[in-house]
Amino acid sequence: MHSIIGRTEMTDVAHGTHARIDLAAISANTSVLVSAAAGTPVMAVVKSNAYGHGLVPSARAMLDGGASRLGMAQVEDALTLRQAGVDVPILAWLPWRQADYDAAVLADVELGVEAPWRLALMAEAAERNGRPVRVHLEVDTGLSRGGATRDDWPQLVDAARRAQAAGHVTVTGVFSHFACADDPGHPSIAAQISAFDDAVRYAAASGVEPELRHLASSAALLTVPESRYDLVRAGLALYGLSPLETGGDFGLRPAMSLRSTVAVAKRIPAGTGVMYGLKYQVASDSTIVVVPVGYADGLPRAAGTAGVELLVAGRRHRIAGVVGMEQTVLDVGQDLPSPGEEVVLFGPGDEGELTLAELARQLGLLPAEILARIPAALPRVYVS
C-alpha cells in the first residue's frame, strides 16, 4: 500500500524527487529493539520530523511495533502528535524554543527540565490551567550539554520537591544522556552510570522518587544492559541504521530511500567539462543525465567530489562535478537512459544502490546528518 504525503499532484510525487518510507520496516525495527530491551519499555524518539521520515506516520508505525512512549526535543512536535490523535505518553525533553507550557499542560505532554527557573515557569502554567505538569528532571552525568550539573542538582531536586508538594508538578522521571554509548567499553560509560545512580539516590533521599529512570540510547540499549533502568530511548536504530560502526546491523532494515528521476539525458564529446568550475571532464564521448535533486534536497554538495555513485536504471554511475542546489549531473558513460527513469540516491541496498550508511561513510558524515538535511517539504511516499 502506498500513501502520498506532501504533494497534491500524484504524478509529480511518483516521478519526481521524493523520499520513500517503508513503515513496515520501522515497525519491524521497533519490534527488534523491544525484544532487545528484554522487558524494559521502549520510548521511540521521533525528534526532527522523525529523523526526516515524517513525524506522525513514523510514530504510529513505532507504536504498532511495540513502543510504549514517544520522545522528542520540541513541544511543538508533541502537540502535533496530540492533534493527530496519538494518546500515549509523550516527553518533550528540550522545551526551550518558544515552548508553550500552557498548551503542553493541557495536552498532557511531559516536559524535561534542567533548572529551577524553568521548572517555575512550568509550575505556573500548571497552576493557571488547574492540573499538574508531569516533568522529567535532567541531570548532566558527563555529556556537558543539557541537564543540571552535580553542583546544581540539589537545587533542582529541592525545587521539584516543593512544586510537587504544592500540587503543581508530578516528577515522573529522572534522565540523562550518554556521551560515548556508540563506543562500547569507553570508560565514560561506567562513570556516567555511576553519576546517574548517585543523582537518583540523592533525589530519593530528598523525597523525590520518580517512576522512570532513563539513560540508554539505541547504542546503550543494545550493548549496555545495566543502563536500561525503567525505560530506554531508541532513536536512530528505529529507522534501520545501526548506532554502532561495528557489530553488524542487529537485524535492522533501513526504512528510507531517496529517489528521483532522469530529467535530461544528452551526449557530450570527450574532454567536455561538467558543472560549476568545470573540474570534472568526461574521458570519452559520454552520456550525461541531469537529475532534479541537489543539496537543497539533502544530497550533500561534497558528494560530487567524493566519487559518489547513484543508481540509474539499475546501474551505478558517478556524480559528475559538484552537486548543485537543485540539480545534479551524472556521467553514465555509454548507457542511454530516458527521461523519467528512476534514480536512487540511497536505500536499503536491495537494488544495488548505496545504503545511507555507505553514503555517510564516503562523505565523512553521520547518517543522521544526511537525514536531518532532507527538508520537510520534500514529498514522502509511505509504503507498508
Side-chain angles (χ1 to χ4, degrees), residues 299-321:
L299 178 64
R301 184 173 172 83
T305 55
V308 169
E309 296 179 334
L310 308 184
L311 194 74
V312 184
R315 291 167 60 103
R316 285 193 189 186
H317 293 287
R318 180 177 174 174
I319 295 174

Side-chain angles (χ1 to χ4, degrees), residues 230-302:
D230 308 305
L231 185 68
V232 294
R233 302 186 306 266
L236 188 65
L238 294 165
Y239 308 95
L241 297 160
S242 173
L244 306 172
E245 290 192 10
T246 58
D249 62 12
F250 298 97
L252 304 169
R253 177 175 172 78
M256 179 189 287
S257 59
L258 189 60
R259 296 168 182 261
S260 190
T261 54
V262 173
V264 175
K266 59 185 179 183
R267 297 287 292 175
I268 60 174
T272 301
V274 181
M275 281 299 277
Y276 300 118
L278 301 178
K279 295 181 179 179
Y280 184 93
Q281 296 181 342
V282 294
S284 60
D285 293 357
S286 187
T287 302
I288 59 164
V289 300
V290 181
V291 186
V293 63
Y295 57 81
D297 304 298
L299 178 64
R301 184 173 172 83

